[in-house]
Amino acid sequence: MAPRPAWKGYLKLSLVTCAIELTNVVTHAEKVSFRILNRKTGNTVKRIYVDAGTGKPLEEGDEIKGYEVSDGDFVHIEEDEIEAVQIESSHTMGLDGFVEKSSIEQIYLDTPYYVSPADKVSQEAFAVIRDAMAARKMAGLARIVLYQRERPVVIEPLGKGMVLTTLRYDDTVRQPGTVFDDIETTRTDDEMIDLAQHIIDSKKTKFDPSKFDDRYEDALLELIRAKKAGKKAPKAKAPPKPSNVVNLFDALKKSLNAEGGGKAGKSSAKAPPARTKAKAPAAGHSRHRSRKSA
């Protein structure tokens, strides 16, 4: 069965418009999921809304969304009032600008969706927009209202279709300096860098997502099968803890030999003397704007 679209609307490039639909790239259908049970009866349990003041459960239809404007003071918002909020990006994604995808920092990339034409009438216009972007090796910037939030997005060609990736707002992203500025500047030794590069070279491979197995999922399934058969839960084998590196140069040489790297240029030389860490420069102010409150 074809997956259900996550969004339907229009893609617009200047005066060219085509109907499109978004489909989730990621599926969690095959993942292990657990239900909450009553330990005593074995029955499943359900969540209910309880009035925080009276402690009584709410009847169906009694709940309503509220926005807190001051301490304990809420504005009531009905579901149909939220659904009635419409802006252009609720139904149309206008391609406002074009960039090289590589120019978008990885920290801003969020969730991917497949983009495809919604009907046969839209296929030609869709193909023209897709092929023009592919020829220029550019990705389009747009906005879309998805799950009751307007989100910036980037759209790029992918085979016969396109892929859209939602982007995080700048003020929701911690800038690298807020975390990395405390890392001290360290003078590294060229010889040790050379050894590390040889280890990297010996482990070169091609990206193949089919080779990534969810080992934690497999362990959960093993536990479930054992319990279903009336057996005890399998004992977990504790992974060996890595030891603290006392001599980094020796550790690099041993790692290279373990990877079958053989001779590595200067790797047979004596270990370089220990280096002292240089004091990190004063951290600059990281940018972090606050979003406007409702």
Side-chain angles (χ1 to χ4, degrees):
M1 187 172 68
R4 183 180 177 182
W7 185 90
K8 285 188 174 184
Y10 297 91
L11 180 65
K12 182 180 178 183
L13 174 63
S14 190
L15 299 179
V16 179
T17 304
C18 61
I20 60 168
E21 54 187 33
L22 306 187
T23 305
N24 288 287
V25 168
V26 180
T27 174
H28 300 284
E30 300 301 320
K31 292 296 181 183
V32 170
S33 61
F34 295 102
R35 299 284 299 276
I36 303 300
L37 309 177
N38 183 329
R39 184 187 295 274
K40 295 179 180 178
T41 65
N43 296 331
T44 58
V45 300
K46 60 181 181 180
R47 298 178 186 271
I48 58 173
Y49 287 107
V50 175
D51 188 295
T54 66
K56 294 181 179 180
L58 270 65
E59 297 292 336
E60 185 177 353
D62 282 352
E63 68 272 7
I64 186 174
K65 283 185 167 64
Y67 182 84
E68 192 168 16
V69 291
S70 61
D71 190 21
D73 185 17
F74 293 86
V75 172
H76 292 194
I77 306 292
E78 299 285 353
E79 286 290 345
D80 57 356
E81 292 176 320
I82 294 175
E83 292 173 4
V85 175
Q86 295 286 322
I87 59 176
E88 183 182 7
S89 55
S90 298
H91 51 76
T92 301
M93 284 191 296
L95 293 168
D96 301 324
F98 295 89
V99 298
E100 293 182 1
K101 176 69 180 303
S102 59
S103 69
I104 301 175
E105 294 178 66
Q106 188 177 2
I107 56 177
Y108 290 99
L109 300 176
D110 196 356
T111 307
Y113 294 85
Y114 291 126
V115 185
S116 54
D119 50 50
K120 288 187 177 180
V121 175
S122 300
Q123 288 182 1
E124 184 178 14
F126 179 89
V128 167
I129 296 172
R130 176 199 63 204
D131 294 349
M133 284 199 289
R136 285 287 185 256
K137 297 181 179 179
M138 301 294 275
L141 297 175
R143 293 172 182 267
I144 179 177
V145 174
L146 195 61
Y147 306 122
Q148 297 183 351
R149 291 285 187 277
E150 188 182 47
R151 305 163 194 270
V153 300
V154 58
I155 308 170
E156 58 187 316
L158 181 67
K160 293 192 292 183
M162 290 191 268
V163 64
L164 172 151
T165 306
T166 58
L167 301 174
R168 301 181 178 100
Y169 283 101
D170 184 50
D171 58 5
T172 67
V173 173
R174 291 190 182 96
Q175 295 303 312
T178 62
V179 177
F180 297 156
D181 280 353
D182 290 336
I183 300 176
E184 293 183 348
T185 302
T186 305
R187 292 193 295 271
T188 53
D189 185 87
D190 290 343
E191 207 164 349
M192 289 195 284
I193 295 296
D194 182 62
L195 282 170
Q197 288 175 338
H198 278 81
I199 295 171
I200 292 170
D201 290 341
S202 70
K203 296 173 77 70
K204 275 185 181 177
T205 185
K206 291 185 177 180
F207 177 69
D208 182 0
S210 66
K211 291 183 178 180
F212 291 112
D213 297 322
D214 189 338
R215 294 175 295 183
Y216 187 77
E217 179 94 351
D218 293 340
L220 281 178
L221 289 171
E222 185 182 355
L223 167 62
I224 293 168
R225 284 192 290 265
K227 298 283 284 185
K228 185 179 179 181
K231 299 177 181 179
K232 290 183 178 181
K235 289 185 178 181
K237 296 178 181 178
K241 292 183 178 179
S243 58
N244 291 328
V245 176
V246 177
N247 188 312
L248 181 57
F249 188 81
D250 286 346
L252 285 166
K253 285 204 296 182
K254 289 178 181 177
S255 297
L256 183 60
N257 291 333
E259 297 297 335
K263 294 181 180 180
K266 303 176 182 179
S267 63
S268 60
K270 293 181 180 180
R275 298 275 188 177
T276 56
K277 293 181 178 179
K279 194 70 176 178
H285 295 289
S286 61
R287 52 194 176 94
H288 193 83
R289 301 190 302 274
S290 59
R291 298 280 299 277
K292 293 181 180 179
S293 58

